[in-house]
Amino acid sequence: MHERITKFADIILPVALPNLFTYRVPSEWNERIISGIRVIVPFGKNKLYTGIVRAVHEKPPIGYEAKYLDSILDEIPIISEIQFKFWEWMALYYMCHIGEVMQAALPSGLKITSETKVILSEATKNKPDIKNLHINEYKIIEALIVKEILSLDEIAKIIAIKNPLAIVKRMVDKGFLLLYESIDEKYKPKLTTYLALNKLYQDETTLNELLNQLEKKAYKQMEIVMRFLQRRQMEIVKGHDKTTAYVKKKDIVGTDDTSAFNALVKKNVFDITEIDTGRFKLEIETNYQKVLNDEQQKALFEVKQNFSLKKHCLLHGLTGSGKTEVYLQLAADTIATGKQVLYLLPEIALTGQIIHRVQQKFGTRAGIYHSRMSNHERVEVWQNILNDCTSNELNERPHFDILVGARSSLFLPLHNVGLIIVDEEHDASYKQQDPSPRYHARDAAIYLAQLYNANILLGTATPSLETYYLAKQDKFGYVKLENRFGEAVLPHWQIIDTKEEERNKTMHQSFSEPLVNAINTAVSNHEQVILFQNRRGFSPYTECQECAWTPTCLNCDVSLTYHKTLHLLRCHYCGYSTKPHSECASCGSSHLQFKGLGTEKIEEEVEILFPTARVARLDLDTSRSRQAYNQLMNDFTEGNIDILIGTQMVTKGLDFDNVNVVGIINADQVLKFPDFRSHERAFQTLVQVSGRAGRKKKQGKVYLQTAQPYHPVIQFAMNNAIDALYEKELLERVQFHYPPFVRIIEFNILSPQRELTDEAAQLFTEALKAMFKDLVLGPQTPSVGRIKNQFLKRTILKVKKEWPYKKVREEISQLLHHFSQQNNFKKVKIQVDVDPV
DNA sequence: AGCACGCCGACT
DNA sequence: GTCGGCGTGCTC
């Protein structure tokens, strides 16, 4: 006889709470309960949550009675020990809870939570006693008679009450209703219906009898059977046995055949099987023809040399030098050794273009993962990675050797990573802003690579100062690709002084004479033009000509941007929108003017200045849906667009061969950011935008309009003097204590009242200063002091690199904990952002 | 962080 | 009585 063991499981739940939760395991599951599987557990009063088993042990918790697990969702772990280590590191480093990491890591299809459902009690069902009922109670019962089960949200709508729980509870007490918690599976496998001939009709005679019968009475049914037999013949030719040859239903049954088909089903002619076929193609033709040139070969060799020395590596390749080919070759070589590759890109750069190239090289062995995919697709990527080798003939799922994705693909359950590529390493969108964990995917990738003992390659034309510094210190290998691919050369820059143009009265609205001429020439030569203006909408603010009043958002301290296509004023922070004012709210004057330049305005000007050109705009507003975005990209690639106007979006991941002119409408905007990174950022943006020009044989041209033509950043960018700029920046960073010489931790203090925020920020900052002295800056009011009705103050701590970060973190955590205990600051939130960008 | 619960004030 | 708002306390 075995001794009866009682097991307990420590569970990670997707909630922002510091600890794990210990549950008791029903003894019949003692064998099944293992670290890394998902379970459903009761949590709080009556909710059910999906959690992940972190550890299994036999120590009953002290101080409380553990609840029982509700159910087990997986038989094999979906989270490996390496992934757990990664989660735990992330929670520590970025000072958040592990539950928040879980929230970020799992696609929502894998995290089911329960919903409260309402049904009628037996008594009410049999004999509705509707005397003396309140109108709302009556409405609920009436609705439940029609539709048996309702969720609380549905009830809220029916009786038009925000929180219906009180009413529902009362009715439960009176015996009208019953409540239960229901968990709906969010992921539905994609099933394909297959048909085989029922064994009744396997022999020729019965089959012929059937066909004869149908020919007379039901011609359409006979057609279906005939089509089936044809298809089946094809399968038999492929080597399938006659009795087991299945045919896809949709290959032989059209939409208008439904009733005929149903009749056949009734006659038991077919055996029907539903098979989980997945959402991804099983066959993609691979024909990747690019061959590395000498320089790329050399770079590849040097990168590998660094790897063999166990060194991470920065690939500094000018725009158009063909970094991607080097990545793909390196990936292929890694896969050849039996390891997996993770290829990270900024979300926005994950375009059809790059995906197409990866698929051309790796076919179905390339998995794609980003936020524009449906939930179902994301779950399937997870499943495909997890059950690498399912071998049902009809149920073959692709096997991934390389995963291309945005930052969240760091969390995919890969087991054998040999190489991580971080493309466009400098890109600020690698940093998650909200919600927590506010992690930097590049830095997290470096940590993850260590856990897997994998190589890591960071690639970019404009390295971040942090990475550049590491390379200069020889902590990173450094490989440069200097020449553009083929015969392309770097573009020629022309800097246009807009002040002088204005003096000479040669500006055509926002366009200087040289830029207008260049666009005209390009368009008449059938070359394409990209115009960069880093602001969406028509005009960023409205101003009263009499009293300078400006309409602002109700919920945020920002001016409202006018969107002409929608004819609305919109807040870019909270989405609030309102009709444009016809008169000033302050003085009543009707002299209101739209000020500033957005992409919509540029688009309008372009249409007037170049009436024959085909114009399109690429910004958040024109590319919200994946479809719209792909359409736009296609049109531009196919040459259906002459002039493309866009924000940041045009700088990322787009390689167009026919673009010869790039216009930067207003560089001053890029230069004036009030931030220690502004020069670095401006340089990166200018170089990246200019890189869109002249991809093939012809030298491209960059026209940059500015009021400060001698600004050093512009000079550095145009001369491609990256080392000079970076050396100068590094000197300033060292002198004024900024990254990469210190680690910045930013504290954002928020509350719904201005005074409360101010007071809390003041006290918090003082406490911080007591601990860290003059390395604390603040509290400051950020440029937007109120967002979504939350007043915001900011304090910055510069942590010296030589300090033990662990201790600093602990001290900060203690302080934050102490603060959250204070009653008068209950409404105050302090968000921590480690290494803000 | 959610979520339930309880108290209070406004409204019919 | 009914409902919403807000403060409080708890989650294995």
Side-chain angles (χ1 to χ4, degrees):
Chain A
M1 281 294 281
H2 304 281
E3 203 181 327
R4 176 73 153 271
I5 305 173
T6 305
K7 287 192 175 182
F8 294 90
D10 294 339
I11 311 287
I12 303 171
L13 288 175
V15 290
L17 289 168
N19 22 5
L20 301 182
F21 296 86
T22 306
Y23 285 82
R24 188 167 169 168
V25 182
S27 60
E28 66 265 32
W29 293 342
N30 275 358
E31 304 304 311
R32 290 170 67 200
I33 193 84
I34 44 171
S35 171
I37 60 170
R38 289 175 308 149
V39 288
I40 288 183
V41 294
F43 186 67
K45 205 97 208 283
N46 47 23
K47 283 279 147 198
L48 295 168
Y49 278 80
T50 305
I52 301 251
V53 179
R54 177 67 186 101
V56 181
H57 54 83
E58 292 166 32
K59 297 185 287 286
I62 301 158
Y64 59 89
E65 188 78 9
K67 288 185 184 173
Y68 276 100
L69 291 180
D70 181 276
S71 45
I72 288 180
L73 289 176
D74 301 304
E75 299 305 322
I76 55 158
I78 70 160
I79 303 298
S80 68
E81 199 54 34
I82 285 185
Q83 286 288 330
F84 277 135
K85 290 259 162 60
F86 181 56
W87 289 17
E88 280 152 8
W89 167 81
M90 187 172 279
L92 280 175
Y93 186 89
Y94 291 104
M95 288 199 261
C96 67
H97 306 296
I98 193 132
E100 293 172 302
V101 180
M102 173 187 169
Q103 191 70 21
L106 296 194
S108 65
L110 294 178
K111 291 173 298 201
I112 36 194
T113 36
S114 69
E115 198 182 13
T116 309
K117 301 277 183 175
V118 182
I119 50 172
L120 289 176
S121 67
E122 281 305 312
T124 322
K125 239 189 261 175
N126 299 333
K127 181 173 73 69
D129 176 17
I130 46 176
K131 291 189 296 266
N132 303 326
L133 278 185
H134 183 263
I135 174 81
N136 280 344
E137 296 179 329
Y138 181 75
K139 275 189 191 163
I140 292 174
I141 291 180
E142 197 178 42
L144 278 169
I145 289 169
V146 181
K147 198 177 170 221
E148 270 172 65
I149 306 167
L150 291 175
S151 70
L152 285 179
D153 282 352
E154 287 168 316
I155 289 191
K157 276 195 199 122
I158 289 163
I159 58 176
I161 275 176
K162 266 199 190 151
N163 182 9
L165 197 64
I167 287 196
V168 171
K169 279 266 165 74
R170 220 165 26 240
M171 291 175 71
V172 171
D173 290 342
K174 288 194 219 162
F176 289 116
L177 305 180
L178 294 174
L179 296 182
Y180 69 98
E181 290 294 309
S182 123
I183 11 185
D184 294 329
E185 191 74 55
K186 280 191 205 158
Y187 169 75
K188 296 226 166 41
K190 184 172 177 196
L191 300 174
T192 309
T193 311
Y194 281 86
L195 307 173
L197 207 55
N198 189 298
K199 57 176 178 295
L200 291 172
Y201 300 97
Q202 291 287 3
D203 76 281
E204 297 284 320
T205 12
T206 23
L207 183 62
N208 282 332
E209 248 168 60
L210 173 75
L211 285 169
N212 285 336
Q213 239 177 24
L214 291 177
E215 187 170 9
K216 288 171 212 143
K217 287 196 295 192
Y219 195 78
K220 212 156 192 188
Q221 290 179 39
M222 187 213 63
E223 281 185 326
I224 292 176
V225 178
M226 290 304 285
R227 279 203 295 270
F228 169 83
L229 292 172
Q230 262 172 29
R231 281 273 169 178
R232 191 181 67 164
Q233 194 55 41
M234 285 161 60
E235 294 298 312
I236 292 169
V237 170
K238 277 192 218 155
H240 286 269
D241 191 280
K242 195 167 161 181
T243 48
T244 58
Y246 278 88
V247 167
K248 257 190 214 166
K249 178 186 163 191
K250 75 164 191 263
D251 286 344
I252 57 160
V253 183
T255 40
D256 45 349
D257 301 331
T258 320
S259 55
F261 175 72
N262 287 340
L264 286 170
V265 172
K266 254 195 200 138
K267 288 178 191 146
N268 269 329
V269 176
F270 294 122
D271 284 338
I272 300 175
T273 326
E274 303 252 313
I275 288 158
D276 177 357
T277 42
R279 290 174 168 79
F280 298 111
K281 285 189 193 152
L282 285 170
E283 278 170 48
I284 296 173
E285 207 185 317
T286 54
N287 64 5
Y288 196 79
Q289 283 156 359
K290 296 211 170 128
V291 184
L292 299 195
N293 65 18
D294 289 349
E295 204 200 3
Q296 289 168 329
Q297 285 287 4
K298 186 164 161 276
L300 180 69
F301 177 74
E302 287 174 12
V303 170
K304 283 186 177 174
Q305 249 181 346
N306 277 299
F307 286 170
S308 67
L309 296 170
K310 288 278 139 212
K311 235 173 163 179
H312 300 332
C313 194
L314 166 64
L315 177 61
H316 182 188
L318 299 191
T319 52
S321 60
K323 289 187 294 292
T324 314
E325 271 86 63
V326 179
Y327 299 154
L328 295 183
Q329 189 52 49
L330 210 50
D333 294 348
T334 307
I335 292 167
T337 68
K339 299 207 164 179
Q340 294 166 308
V341 177
L342 184 57
Y343 180 178
L344 297 188
L345 284 152
E347 184 75 49
I348 203 164
L350 270 163
T351 59
Q353 274 188 359
I354 187 78
I355 291 169
H356 183 69
R357 275 170 83 177
V358 176
Q359 287 186 331
Q360 269 194 331
K361 185 149 179 106
F362 298 103
T364 54
R365 300 158 80 81
I368 317 288
Y369 194 78
H370 56 84
S371 70
R372 289 187 156 191
M373 285 165 64
S374 77
N375 227 318
H376 285 134
E377 287 171 320
R378 275 191 260 185
V379 173
E380 245 171 57
V381 173
W382 271 71
Q383 290 177 341
N384 288 351
I385 295 172
L386 286 167
N387 39 343
D388 244 13
C389 33
T390 324
S391 58
N392 179 335
E393 185 183 334
L394 289 163
N395 180 18
E396 219 164 73
R397 290 286 195 85
H399 162 98
F400 297 143
D401 290 323
I402 174 168
L403 275 131
V404 188
R407 61 168 178 263
S408 61
S409 42
L410 283 173
F411 297 111
L412 288 170
L414 296 166
H415 46 271
N416 191 19
V417 176
L419 170 67
I420 303 182
I421 298 164
V422 184
D423 194 16
E424 309 295 347
E425 162 280 322
H426 66 282
D427 198 299
S429 63
Y430 274 125
K431 184 81 196 308
Q432 168 140 321
Q433 295 298 345
D434 253 325
S436 192
R438 298 182 177 81
Y439 64 102
H440 198 302
R442 179 236 296 141
D443 301 342
I446 293 172
Y447 184 80
L448 187 64
Q450 275 168 34
L451 289 176
Y452 280 115
N453 199 15
N455 296 317
I456 186 155
L457 179 67
L458 311 184
T460 175
T462 53
S464 65
L465 211 57
E466 282 86 347
T467 304
Y468 181 85
Y469 180 65
L470 283 173
K472 285 281 130 154
Q473 297 280 97
D474 206 29
K475 301 233 170 78
F476 258 64
Y478 179 77
V479 176
K480 200 163 183 182
L481 271 171
E482 306 232 29
N483 299 305
R484 294 192 118 189
F485 195 79
E487 290 144 60
V489 282
L490 278 177
H492 174 265
W493 289 61
Q494 181 167 350
I495 313 290
I496 300 151
D497 184 345
T498 46
K499 277 205 218 121
E500 188 168 333
E501 292 270 328
E502 263 157 31
R503 263 199 302 281
N504 299 341
K505 308 236 186 293
T506 46
M507 285 299 276
H508 306 264
Q509 304 206 57
S510 314
F511 290 79
S512 61
E513 196 87 14
L515 182 52
V516 171
N517 294 338
I519 295 173
N520 273 326
T521 314
V523 171
S524 56
N525 289 341
H526 305 290
E527 291 166 347
Q528 289 170 305
V529 176
I530 288 181
L531 298 176
F532 173 73
Q533 172 61 16
N534 202 13
R535 241 194 195 135
R536 65 191 171 95
F538 188 84
S539 82
Y541 66 106
T542 319
E543 195 178 71
C544 170
Q545 295 306 95
E546 307 286 332
C547 72
W549 172 80
T550 288
T552 52
C553 176
L554 288 180
N555 314 311
C556 314
D557 285 346
V558 287
S559 61
L560 293 167
T561 300
Y562 177 55
H563 284 248
K564 195 163 189 174
T565 39
L566 305 163
H567 192 56
L568 282 175
L569 294 175
R570 296 198 65 144
C571 172
H572 284 181
Y573 284 82
C574 73
Y576 167 82
S577 67
T578 180
K579 282 257 174 288
H581 303 65
S582 51
E583 51 196 48
C584 173
S586 169
C587 71
S589 154
S590 56
H591 293 145
L592 291 173
Q593 219 172 66
F594 295 126
K595 295 272 189 150
L597 273 186
T599 43
E600 285 185 16
K601 179 103 187 281
I602 298 298
E603 186 182 21
E604 195 178 277
E605 290 183 12
V606 165
E607 278 165 356
I608 294 165
L609 285 169
F610 312 99
T612 57
R614 293 160 300 173
V615 182
R617 174 162 57 88
L618 173 62
D619 54 30
L620 206 67
D621 302 306
T622 60
S623 60
R624 278 245 155 72
S625 79
R626 179 163 40 153
Q627 236 232 310
Y629 182 81
N630 287 341
Q631 186 62 47
L632 212 62
M633 285 298 106
N634 256 336
D635 283 349
F636 197 73
T637 317
E638 304 272 303
N640 300 329
I641 295 168
D642 299 314
I643 305 176
L644 182 70
I645 299 141
T647 56
Q648 294 274 18
M649 293 180 98
V650 298
T651 66
K652 303 194 184 178
L654 307 176
D655 295 340
F656 299 113
D657 286 337
N658 196 31
V659 177
N660 211 41
V661 171
V662 163
I664 297 162
I665 304 293
N666 181 1
D668 304 326
Q669 228 171 62
V670 184
L671 294 167
K672 75 175 181 204
F673 263 91
D675 179 64
F676 72 88
R677 263 189 248 270
S678 66
H679 282 192
E680 180 191 350
R681 195 92 46 70
F683 177 82
Q684 288 163 349
T685 307
L686 294 182
V687 171
Q688 293 284 348
V689 179
S690 72
R692 304 306 115 199
R695 282 266 163 163
K696 271 208 177 134
K697 293 178 182 169
K698 212 166 158 185
Q699 186 185 31
K701 295 186 199 80
V702 176
Y703 293 82
L704 181 145
Q705 304 189 141
T706 176
Q708 19 183 356
Y710 298 106
H711 195 289
V713 171
I714 294 177
Q715 294 298 323
F716 285 128
M718 104 179 237
N719 295 315
N720 195 31
I722 183 160
D723 292 300
L725 173 89
Y726 280 29
E727 293 308 325
K728 175 177 141 320
E729 275 293 296
L730 280 174
L731 279 179
E732 282 177 23
R733 300 277 182 100
V734 94
Q735 192 181 353
F736 299 106
H737 304 291
Y738 278 107
F741 302 101
V742 296
R743 175 185 282 124
I744 287 188
I745 302 179
E746 182 180 285
F747 300 91
N748 287 308
I749 300 114
L750 303 128
S751 94
Q753 291 140 8
R754 178 167 269 133
E755 302 72 30
L756 189 62
T757 301
D758 291 354
E759 195 195 337
Q762 196 58 45
L763 280 171
F764 177 77
T765 308
E766 273 163 25
L768 211 58
K769 278 181 178 161
M771 287 155 62
F772 299 101
K773 309 285 182 298
D774 55 344
L775 289 166
V776 179
L777 298 182
Q780 313 149 333
T781 308
S783 57
V784 182
R786 182 181 54 131
I787 298 173
K788 294 181 189 165
N789 279 323
Q790 294 275 319
F791 292 90
L792 178 61
K793 285 271 175 181
R794 179 168 296 160
T795 291
I796 281 167
L797 170 64
K798 294 169 169 177
V799 182
K800 287 188 179 160
K801 280 279 157 94
E802 61 267 26
W803 289 356
Y805 181 49
K806 187 164 174 261
K807 196 155 165 279
V808 170
R809 228 162 40 205
E810 279 162 8
E811 284 176 32
I812 292 170
S813 297
Q814 259 178 32
L815 179 61
L816 287 168
H817 180 74
H818 171 74
F819 237 74
S820 66
Q821 299 297 94
Q822 297 205 311
N823 275 332
N824 41 340
F825 292 143
K826 277 266 153 67
K827 279 189 269 180
V828 181
K829 272 183 295 195
I830 302 182
Q831 296 177 343
V832 187
D833 192 349
V834 180
D835 304 332
V837 291

